[in-house]
Amino acid sequence: MWAVRAAPVGTPTLWAVLATGVLSMLLLDGGLAVNLLLVAVPASLAAYFAGRDAGRRTRAWSLVWGVGGIGLLVVPALRDADWPSFLAVVTAIGLGSLALNGGRTWPAVLLGPIGVVNSVITGVSWGWRGLRERFGGARRGVGVGLRAFVVSALLLLVFGALFAGADAAFADLLSDLVPDASVAGGPWCVVLLAAGLVVALAVAHTAAAPVRLDRVVVRPGRARNRVEWALPLIVLIVLFAAFNVVQLVVLFGGYDAVLEKTDLSYAEYARQGFWQLLFVTLLTLLVVGFALRWAPRDGAGDRKLVRSVLGTLCALTLVVVASAVRRMDMYVEAYGLTRLRISVLAGELWLGLVIVLIMAAGVWGARWLPRAVAASAAAGVLAFGLMSPDGLIAERNVQRYEDTHKFDILYARDLSADAVPALDRLKEPARSCVLRSIADELGEDDAPWYATSWGEARARDILRDHPPAVSVDEEVCNSLTEVPEYR
């Protein structure tokens, strides 16, 4: 697994690593937006150059993972909300590890980041050896390079300051492009520079010496007797079928009769069922995994039995997924949309897609399944971020307010700037109460362009054109929270 040795680091790789470190120092101090994407570009080039020097061919799936990882970094550039951006960044790291290490098996897909973590240490020493080789391996040569870098920086600083003092337009241009390098922020800039260099070296070293996780062998479990394997699953299938029949009866017979019989309200019926059905979906995937591990494998009859039993169980599970989605829709109608509800609903839909992929693997083979599941997860995270969850929450809840005159004003005040376009439709004084809270959270417009998301910029434009009413103060807002209509 660790047999591949890294080729000597090339000059283009070192320049790309240096560019990553410098951009990290200059751009990552004011928050995460398009700056994260700008820093990722030279880091990706460092990986490409290192892989090319090591003789690695760029495969189609590596391009898919690499482009997908870069695409996920668009989410922080577009959305002000932290939670979808965090999910997108974490998923981008996972796709990046797949692009660097490759692999098509479950160990390779799930354990890919191990190679990048290991390269955090080995990559630094690898880069240092390459740097010394560029200067003849002598300390004197390294000192010459460092002195040249310091002199260049001093020349840029001195002449840049003089030109800025000579022309106001040039000074404004510099202030927009170059962050404030104050003495107090100096140590933090050094930390960002070092972090950028270390991460870029780790990425490049992984591309030059990937971990071959496909060589990890997961031995199948001991095949079980047909009765021992199939009987518990058939019993479970009967239980699923009975539940699904009840769901169909409720669907076509209406909820009124069921609610009258169970003495539950509409909202209580929805809330009672969703979480249980979500766990049913998760446990079913676990059952399918163990069943495949211990499935009989003696001949064509055994393979047909496995496909029939597990295919039926997966098909019935899709009905459970549909029932869970319907219950969440009922829940949202009664109580409104929240971050937790939209997140678990998206997760349930993705689990349903995984079940469909498992059924397809039962027909066409499972060799492609790990990569397909990983690609579907990345596509789901990207779609989740692009649709602006906070904006969708605000849109749905404002529409609910227009239909039912019910609105949770306390929850709306905690949403991000992505929700401002929808919340701007509220009537006064609720509009000013909600938007004032978000405006206070945004603060002054002093963030540089590369650390400002599109959602934040759009919210500032709306708040500048239609600011919250001055007459609506905190006392008025606090009084609204006592009104049942806004709770």
Side-chain angles (χ1 to χ4, degrees):
M1 190 174 70
W2 305 95
V4 180
R5 292 181 59 86
V9 59
T11 301
T13 303
L14 288 176
W15 279 112
V17 168
L18 179 61
T20 304
V22 172
L23 288 179
S24 299
M25 178 182 65
L26 296 178
L27 302 182
L28 295 183
D29 189 26
L32 299 182
V34 70
N35 49 6
L36 192 60
L37 187 61
L38 295 175
V39 171
V41 171
S44 301
L45 289 175
Y48 169 75
F49 292 137
R52 184 192 62 183
D53 294 339
R56 294 186 65 188
R57 292 189 299 111
T58 304
R59 300 181 181 274
W61 272 105
S62 295
L63 285 176
V64 170
W65 301 134
V67 172
I70 295 294
L72 282 165
L73 297 182
V74 174
V75 175
L78 296 178
R79 303 298 169 222
D80 180 62
D82 294 333
W83 57 296
S85 297
F86 173 79
L87 187 61
V89 171
V90 171
T91 307
I93 293 173
L95 289 190
S97 67
L98 282 175
L100 295 172
N101 292 304
R104 60 172 60 93
T105 63
W106 284 114
V109 170
L110 298 176
L111 304 178
I114 290 178
V116 182
V117 173
N118 178 72
S119 293
V120 170
I121 304 299
T122 57
V124 173
S125 60
W126 174 69
W128 178 251
R129 289 195 303 271
L131 186 63
R132 293 193 63 180
E133 290 173 359
R134 296 301 177 280
F135 293 102
R139 294 183 179 180
R140 179 183 175 186
V142 176
V144 170
L146 292 177
R147 286 195 297 271
F149 177 79
V150 171
V151 171
S152 301
L154 286 175
L155 290 175
L156 287 175
L157 179 62
V158 172
F159 283 93
L162 290 174
F163 283 131
D167 188 275
F170 188 75
D172 290 338
L173 177 63
L174 286 182
S175 64
D176 291 337
L177 295 179
V178 181
D180 180 21
S182 60
V183 177
W188 179 239
C189 290
V190 174
V191 171
L192 290 175
L193 173 63
L197 293 175
V198 170
V199 171
L201 285 172
V203 167
H205 183 267
T206 305
V211 181
R212 301 300 186 184
L213 291 168
D214 277 337
R215 298 178 180 177
V216 177
V217 178
V218 179
R219 300 185 183 279
R222 182 175 62 86
R224 306 290 178 172
N225 180 274
R226 286 189 179 185
V227 175
E228 182 184 3
W229 176 86
L231 182 60
L233 294 180
I234 292 175
V235 172
L236 187 61
I237 287 173
V238 173
L239 179 62
F240 270 60
F243 177 81
N244 290 338
V245 168
V246 173
Q247 297 305 296
L248 293 175
V249 170
V250 172
L251 179 63
F252 291 106
Y255 290 96
D256 294 338
V258 176
L259 298 181
E260 181 179 354
K261 184 176 181 180
T262 58
D263 292 329
L264 294 174
S265 67
Y266 184 81
E268 289 172 341
Y269 180 76
R271 179 171 55 185
Q272 182 189 54
F274 174 79
W275 296 103
Q276 289 88 335
L277 297 182
L278 176 63
F279 286 120
V280 165
T281 307
L282 290 170
L283 290 175
T284 301
L285 290 174
L286 190 63
V287 168
V288 170
F290 281 111
L292 288 173
R293 179 172 176 80
W294 293 316
R297 301 179 284 272
D298 291 338
D302 289 331
R303 291 192 293 270
K304 185 175 181 180
L305 175 65
V306 170
R307 290 178 178 177
S308 300
V309 172
L310 294 184
T312 302
L313 181 60
C314 288
L316 293 175
T317 306
L318 289 178
V319 181
V320 173
V321 171
S323 178
V325 171
R326 172 55 185 153
R327 285 173 184 261
M328 177 53 72
D329 186 57
M330 296 168 57
Y331 197 9
V332 171
E333 288 180 7
Y335 291 106
L337 191 59
T338 64
R339 290 171 173 173
L340 177 61
R341 291 163 196 167
I342 194 174
S343 299
V344 295
L345 178 59
E348 180 72 13
L349 290 173
W350 177 71
L351 291 176
L353 177 59
V354 172
I355 291 172
V356 172
L357 293 175
I358 292 174
M359 295 174 67
V363 177
W364 292 297
R367 184 178 179 83
W368 51 270
L369 182 60
R371 291 189 292 194
V373 171
S376 68
V381 171
L382 179 60
F384 188 72
L386 294 180
M387 75 177 184
S388 182
D390 274 14
L392 185 61
I393 291 169
E395 181 73 28
R396 181 67 181 265
N397 290 342
V398 169
Q399 183 62 50
R400 176 173 172 266
Y401 171 72
E402 294 173 349
D403 296 337
T404 66
H405 300 289
K406 293 181 179 180
F407 188 79
D408 190 343
I409 195 170
L410 287 177
Y411 190 85
R413 297 177 73 176
D414 290 332
L415 294 175
S416 67
D418 299 329
V420 168
L423 297 176
D424 190 48
R425 291 164 38 197
L426 288 172
K427 295 180 179 180
E428 296 292 354
R431 174 190 176 276
S432 293
C433 286
V434 173
L435 293 185
R436 175 173 286 109
S437 177
I438 297 178
D440 292 341
E441 185 69 23
L442 286 175
E444 298 294 333
D445 188 10
D446 57 355
W449 63 271
Y450 50 79
T452 302
S453 66
W454 179 72
E456 182 180 347
R458 182 175 59 167
R460 291 186 187 278
D461 291 339
I462 294 174
L463 293 173
R464 182 178 59 251
D465 296 337
H466 303 285
V470 178
S471 58
V472 180
D473 55 16
E474 193 65 26
E475 183 178 352
V476 175
C477 295
N478 291 335
S479 64
L480 285 181
T481 60
E482 303 299 327
V483 180
E485 180 180 342
Y486 294 108
R487 299 173 61 185

